[in-house]
Amino acid sequence: MTIEREQLEQDVTRFLHRDPFSVPFYEKDSDFLGIINHLTRHHLLNCASYKRVVEPIFGNLPASALSETPFIPVQLFKTLNLSSVPPGDVIKTMTSSGTTGQVVSKIALDRSTSSGQTRALTQIMKSLLGPTRVPMLIIDTSEVISDR
């Protein structure tokens, strides 16, 4: 793991250890902007397709405000391979729930990204439901969990 990646992991961990609804938005926005700029740099350096789309439009990075951060059409996740991790590091590929016959979006996740998503969801749910685990039933089709 590179020093830059380690710093990103530390920033994300620090960001996720707070109650997401207790931090003033201006403080949260500032911290989040730093993480987004770091992630944007990571994707530019590690995904040629992302770089070809983002650089011509958002060339003057890093962003100084969240409104300046690069955004791309969701459709690109259906037509391009937008993976920023080596294929051997991908532990799961998330897909959208396209209707029959539609091309689905694909997002490759490495262990670190998957863990970060779990931690973020845990913090949000803890702030809404409390810190005690409660019984929960999720019903879906087998196709949704086929790549897990």
Side-chain angles (χ1 to χ4, degrees), residues 8-142:
L8 175 61
E9 299 269 343
Q10 291 172 3
D11 291 348
V12 169
T13 297
R14 201 169 31 256
F15 189 78
L16 293 177
H17 269 68
R18 302 180 294 190
D19 179 341
F21 302 109
S22 68
V23 180
F25 76 91
Y26 53 85
E27 184 181 320
K28 195 178 339 180
D29 281 2
S30 173
D31 293 345
F32 189 58
L33 177 62
I35 292 170
I36 292 298
N37 277 329
H38 202 114
L39 284 170
T40 299
R41 178 174 157 73
H42 169 78
H43 296 309
L44 287 169
L45 292 173
N46 295 286
C47 182
S49 296
Y50 180 80
K51 185 175 184 172
R52 279 193 306 276
V53 171
V54 169
E55 267 193 346
I57 301 168
F58 299 93
N60 58 345
L61 299 170
S64 58
L66 285 174
S67 60
E68 298 173 2
T69 58
F71 55 90
I72 57 176
V74 175
Q75 184 68 23
L76 292 180
F77 286 92
K78 295 180 180 191
T79 59
L80 298 175
N81 177 17
L82 293 173
S83 180
S84 300
V85 296
D89 290 352
V90 175
I91 62 163
K92 68 174 91 168
T93 301
M94 303 297 289
T95 58
S96 63
S97 56
T99 58
T100 305
Q102 285 187 332
V103 177
V104 296
S105 298
K106 290 182 255 172
I107 301 173
L109 299 178
D110 62 358
R111 189 165 308 287
S112 172
T113 304
S114 180
S115 172
Q117 288 183 334
T118 300
R119 290 182 297 165
L121 180 59
T122 299
Q123 284 300 99
I124 292 167
M125 296 307 285
K126 274 182 12 183
S127 69
L128 296 173
L129 301 175
T132 307
R133 293 187 100 175
V134 295
M136 187 178 298
L137 176 64
I138 299 173
I139 301 173
D140 216 323
T141 64
S142 58

